Amino acid sequence: HVQLVESGGGSAYAGGSLRLSCAASGYTASFYCMGWFRQVAGKERELVGIRYIGSEVSFTYYGDSVKGRFTISHDKSKNTLDLQMNTLKAEDSGLYYCAATADGECRDYKSSRDFSFWGQGTQVTVS
C-alpha cells in the first residue's frame, strides 16, 4: 500500500518562500518518477515539476511557470520529495499535490493522468 503525505503548505507574501515536503511510504522502490502538481478551482491540475528517480542518474523537469524559482529535491534514504518555492507570486496559489508512478517510461510524462499515486494535497496561498 503506497501512501504519499504532503506537508509544509501555508501562506506567504509575494516574493517570499515556502518549502513543501512529500513523505512516501509503502512499496516506494517501484517508483520511477515523483513530482509535484498544483490545482486551482475550475482548472486542470498543472505540472510543477517531475523528477526521474529510476536510476542513479536523475533529472528534473519543471513547468515553464516555475522554472528558475522552484527546485525539487529527492532524498532516497528518507523517501521524501521536497519542493523549494522561491520568489513566490500570487498565481502560485493553489492546492499542491505530490504524485508518483511506477512506470519506467515516465521520463517524458507531463500530465497528471500519467501518475498513479497521489497525496491529499497541501494548500499554498500567496498574497
Side-chain angles (χ1 to χ4, degrees):
H1 177 65
V2 171
Q3 188 174 23
L4 303 176
V5 179
E6 303 96 338
S7 62
S11 299
Y13 291 111
S17 299
L18 281 174
R19 188 176 183 89
L20 307 183
S21 185
C22 172
S25 60
Y27 189 47
T28 59
S30 64
F31 291 170
Y32 278 87
C33 286
M34 294 184 71
W36 289 93
F37 290 80
R38 66 187 183 189
Q39 190 170 24
V40 296
K43 293 188 176 182
E44 289 191 2
R45 208 162 283 190
E46 176 193 15
L47 169 70
V48 175
I50 296 172
R51 186 172 182 94
Y52 180 80
I53 60 173
S55 69
E56 292 301 317
V57 179
S58 63
F59 66 87
T60 307
Y61 174 87
Y62 295 97
D64 289 340
S65 61
V66 305
K67 280 180 183 177
R69 299 188 297 121
F70 290 12
T71 303
I72 290 176
S73 58
H74 176 245
D75 189 324
K76 189 174 183 179
S77 65
K78 297 180 180 178
N79 284 329
T80 57
L81 187 78
D82 288 354
L83 177 65
Q84 177 66 42
M85 305 185 292
N86 298 328
T87 320
L88 284 163
K89 304 176 181 179
E91 51 263 43
D92 293 320
S93 298
L95 192 59
Y96 282 68
Y97 294 93
C98 178
T101 177
D103 190 337
E105 302 300 320
C106 62
R107 292 173 183 262
D108 297 322
Y109 286 359
K110 305 294 187 296
S111 170
S112 61
R113 292 183 290 273
D114 296 321
F115 286 77
S116 304
F117 305 104
W118 291 89
Q120 293 300 308
T122 184
Q123 181 67 39
V124 171
T125 302
V126 183
S127 59

